[in-house]
Amino acid sequence: MQLRGKTAVVTGAASGFGRAIAAQFLAEGATVALCDINGDGARAAADALGGVAITADVTDGASVEAMAVAATDALGAIDIVVNNAGWSHPNGPLLGVDEATFDRVFAVNVKSIFHAVHTFVPRFRAQGGGVFLNVGSTAALRPRPGLTWYNASKGAVETLTKSLAVELAGDGIRVNALAPVMGETALLETFMGQADTPEARARFVAGIPLGRLSQPGDIAAAAVFMVSDAAEFLTGVSLPVDGGRCV
């Protein structure tokens, strides 16, 4: 029970990496607010796993503040915030991405962290510390063609993680990131830019030395360690969970 007594907020928790992270946190003894813009999905996940479901739009500051209030009312003071909610444009030529899509990608992937920081840092300071875990991507470290604007958004997450870590360390606030390789989630075909066929998978898996895509459980296991007291001396770290992709 590595997270016994901890309270956590996980965004994008209705499915994919977020749901797996929430499930593993619960299994490790944490109480968890499963937050998602898909309120029905969040409630279904909470019904299946435990925890509290909260509907929230991470791109909207007022919604994130309301999420924090609801989570605190339900769980007490929050120890851990996992900024997992993410979005991408389809894999394809960079000039094919319009401004509205670009704005959406950066709002979900980057502006969400801005809102989380503004919302939770005052609370963390008041209680003497806390942990942020941002879900980035190997796209920031080894970008693939076809995902330029998504890659750039995850590059921002990488830099934000390091800058926040050094600025907030004196407050007892740790900030780290995970950098998953392409995984088996609802966004897989978006990242591929084509149907999920065995042939398509083989082309992407060819660049991963351990020979498979990431699984939500891989990301969840890494997340547990990074937010636990076992990692209390780690901050500003971006941990690739990538089967060797970034070597």
Side-chain angles (χ1 to χ4, degrees), residues 142 144 181 202-211 242-246:
R142 289 283 304 276
R144 296 179 187 267
V181 76
R203 285 194 292 275
F204 286 95
V205 167
I208 303 172
L210 285 183
D242 67 348
R245 160 72 181 157
C246 292

Side-chain angles (χ1 to χ4, degrees), residues 5-40:
K6 303 288 187 182
T7 55
V9 166
V10 180
T11 69
S15 61
F17 294 160
R19 180 179 170 127
I21 290 169
Q24 197 60 39
F25 281 14
L26 288 159
E28 292 291 343
T31 52
V32 181
L34 292 84
C35 306
D36 205 289
I37 195 169
N38 175 2
D40 289 342

Side-chain angles (χ1 to χ4, degrees), residues 48-145:
L49 303 172
V52 175
I54 298 173
T55 304
D57 178 356
V58 296
T59 72
D60 178 76
S63 183
V64 174
E65 174 63 27
M67 175 185 79
V69 170
T72 302
D73 286 348
L75 308 180
I78 302 301
D79 302 307
I80 300 159
V81 174
V82 181
N83 292 308
N84 166 74
W87 194 249
S88 180
H89 56 84
N91 192 316
L94 60 89
L95 294 181
V97 176
D98 62 24
E99 185 175 0
T101 302
F102 173 92
D103 287 345
R104 181 66 178 167
V105 169
F106 271 78
V108 177
N109 295 352
V110 183
K111 193 175 184 180
S112 61
I113 298 176
F114 172 88
H115 290 316
V117 166
H118 275 261
T119 298
F120 285 99
V121 164
R123 290 170 164 85
F124 284 171
R125 283 175 170 161
Q127 68 197 37
V131 178
F132 287 108
L133 182 65
N134 300 324
V135 178
S137 173
T138 55
L141 309 174
R142 289 283 304 276
R144 296 179 187 267

